[in-house]
C-alpha cells in the first residue's frame, strides 16, 4: 500500500483562506466599480445642470414709471440687471427715460408701454436675437444728442411693430438694422433721423400700403 506524505495542519488554520480572500477582493472591486460609476453619473448630471442653467435666460420687467438707470438692479423685477440673452419687458408708460443702456444682446424685447432708451455710451447697440414687439398705440424711442444708439434685429429673429419706433436725433444718427423677419401693422411707423436698413436675407411686410 502506497504511503503519502503527512500534512500537518496547525491548530486554528483556515484551509480555504485563499478562496475567501479572492471573494473578498472581488466584492471590494465590484463595490469600488459601482461607486465609481455612481460618481461619474453624478458628475455628468451636475455638469448638465450647470450647462442648462448657464444657457437659460431671465425675463426682467422694468418697474419705475419715472425711468431710471438700466444698471440699477432694483429697477427690475425680479431684481437684477439684465444679462446677455435675457428677456426684457417694458409694460407701462414711463415719464422718464431708461438711462445707461449698454451694448447688449437680448433674446426678447417686448414694449407695451411708452418708453425711451438712452445709451450708456456714445455708440451703443441693442441686438434682439429672438423676438421684438411694440404694442399698438405705444412708442419706443432710443438715442439722445451726442450719444448714438443702434438697434439690430438678428437673423432668424422676428419683429412685430404695431406702434411707433423712433430713432431720436443724435450725432451721428442712430440706426435700425433688420436681418430677420420684420412685420409692421397698418398703423405702425418707423421714423427719425437715422437709417433703416434691411440686410440680405431679411423679410419685411406691412399691414397695408399706409403702414
Amino acid at each position: 500500500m502506497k504511503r503519502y506524505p503527512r500534512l500537518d495542519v496547525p491548530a486554528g488554520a483556515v484551509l480555504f483562506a485563499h478562496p475567501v480572500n479572492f471573494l473578498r477582493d472581488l466584492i471590494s472591486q465590484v463595490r469600488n466599480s459601482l461607486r465609481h460609476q455612481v460618481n461619474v453619473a453624478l458628475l455628468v448630471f451636475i455638469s448638465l445642470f450647470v450647462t442648462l442653467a448657464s444657457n437659460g435666460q431671465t425675463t426682467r420687467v422694468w418697474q419705475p414709471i419715472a425711468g431710471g438707470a438700466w444698471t440699477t438692479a432694483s429697477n427690475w423685477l425680479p431684481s437684477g440687471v439684465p444679462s446677455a440673452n435675457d428677456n426684457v419687458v417694458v409694460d407701462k408708460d414711463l415719464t422718464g427715460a431708461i438711462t445707461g443702456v449698454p451694448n447688449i444682446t437680448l433674446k426678447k424685447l417686448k414694449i407695451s408701454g411708452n418708453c425711451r432708451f438712452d445709451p450708456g455710451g456714445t455708440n451703443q447697440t441693442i441686438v434682439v436675437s429672438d423676438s421684438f414687439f411694440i404694442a399698438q398705440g405705444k412708442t419706443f424711442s432710443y438715442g439722445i444728442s451726442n450719444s448714438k444708439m443702434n438697434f439690430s434685429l438678428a437673423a432668424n429673429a422676428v419683429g412685430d411693430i404695431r406702434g411707433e419706433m423712433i430713432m431720436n436725433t443724435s450725432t451721428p444718427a442712430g440706426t435700425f438694422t433688420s436681418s430677420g423677419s420684420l412685420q409692421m401693422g397698418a398703423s405702425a411707423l418707423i421714423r427719425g433721423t437715422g437709417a433703416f436698413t434691411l440686410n440680405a436675407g431679411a423679410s419685411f411686410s406691412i399691414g397695408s400700403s399706409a403702414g
Side-chain angles (χ1 to χ4, degrees):
M1 182 175 175
K2 187 174 181 180
R3 299 176 66 90
Y4 293 92
R6 180 180 173 179
L7 177 62
D8 294 324
V9 179
V14 180
L15 293 177
F16 298 97
H18 294 300
V20 171
N21 288 339
F22 170 78
L23 289 175
R24 186 182 296 118
D25 291 343
L26 179 60
I27 292 172
S28 177
Q29 291 177 23
V30 170
R31 284 178 177 171
N32 291 336
S33 177
L34 291 175
R35 188 180 298 113
H36 175 72
Q37 292 178 30
V38 170
N39 289 339
V40 170
L42 183 60
L43 288 174
V44 170
F45 175 80
I46 293 174
S47 177
L48 179 61
F49 178 83
V50 171
T51 300
L52 291 174
S54 64
N55 290 335
Q57 66 280 328
T58 301
T59 296
R60 300 198 185 277
V61 182
W62 181 261
Q63 295 302 298
I65 292 178
W70 176 285
T71 52
T72 300
S74 59
N75 285 342
W76 300 94
L77 187 68
S79 180
V81 179
S83 300
N85 300 314
D86 276 355
N87 304 320
V88 164
V89 177
V90 179
D91 60 359
K92 52 184 68 71
D93 294 340
L94 306 186
T95 59
I98 298 177
T99 61
V101 180
N103 286 310
I104 192 168
T105 295
L106 301 173
K107 184 174 183 182
K108 298 180 180 180
L109 176 60
K110 182 178 181 181
I111 306 294
S112 53
N114 296 324
C115 63
R116 188 181 87 216
F117 283 8
D118 288 355
T122 56
N123 189 13
Q124 307 293 86
T125 299
I126 293 179
V127 178
V128 174
S129 64
D130 184 84
S131 65
F132 170 56
F133 175 78
I134 302 177
Q136 185 172 357
K138 302 301 178 180
T139 299
F140 170 55
S141 62
Y142 58 94
I144 54 176
S145 178
N146 299 321
S147 294
K148 176 183 179 181
M149 190 160 194
N150 308 297
F151 185 89
S152 178
L153 190 66
N156 300 319
V158 176
D160 184 1
I161 299 178
R162 304 180 187 183
E164 188 172 5
M165 187 167 183
I166 303 174
M167 292 172 277
N168 289 327
T169 301
S170 63
T171 305
T175 63
F176 176 20
T177 303
S178 177
S179 300
S181 175
L182 180 62
Q183 177 179 344
M184 294 183 63
S187 59
L189 183 65
I190 299 174
R191 65 182 178 88
T193 59
F196 171 47
T197 303
L198 291 175
N199 286 336
S203 65
F204 178 63
S205 61
I206 57 177
S208 73
S209 58

